[in-house]
Amino acid sequence: QALADATELKRSACASVLNSLAEIVTKEVKKTGKIIVPGITMLKTRVKPATKAGKKEIFGKVCMVQAKPAKTVIKAFPVAALKKSI
């Protein structure tokens, strides 16, 4: 709603723009592993390594931990201008 008021567009038009932006960002991150949304954020993919099964001490208790496979996660980094404004 705030975007529609600021740009003087209909709410449905703003929703379709944001949906198409989400699709484009998804495709680009899958393809290259990094994308910058100007003025807002930079998205990067990172591979988290696999973890072994075993015992871990969590808050003073020893717990059994299952093995987990490696997986790709997406990390978001705010743009410097956004950091300075806060």
Side-chain angles (χ1 to χ4, degrees):
Q1 182 65 40
L3 184 63
D5 292 340
T7 58
E8 298 176 3
L9 292 172
K10 289 185 178 178
R11 192 172 177 184
S12 59
C14 290
S16 66
V17 168
L18 289 176
N19 288 337
S20 62
L21 178 66
E23 290 174 12
I24 292 167
V25 167
T26 303
K27 287 179 188 174
E28 195 65 27
V29 167
K30 280 184 182 179
K31 188 170 76 173
T32 62
K34 178 180 174 181
I35 188 169
I36 298 172
V37 181
I40 300 173
T41 187
M42 175 176 61
L43 300 171
K44 283 184 180 179
T45 57
R46 178 180 176 272
V47 177
K48 281 184 104 174
T51 58
K52 293 181 179 179
K55 295 177 184 176
K56 272 191 180 173
E57 191 170 325
I58 304 170
F59 300 114
K61 290 183 178 180
V62 177
C63 297
M64 289 298 293
V65 178
Q66 293 181 342
K68 294 180 182 170
K71 63 181 179 179
T72 303
V73 294
I74 298 176
K75 300 198 76 137
F77 301 95
V79 177
L82 185 63
K83 284 189 210 173
K84 288 178 185 173
S85 69
I86 295 175

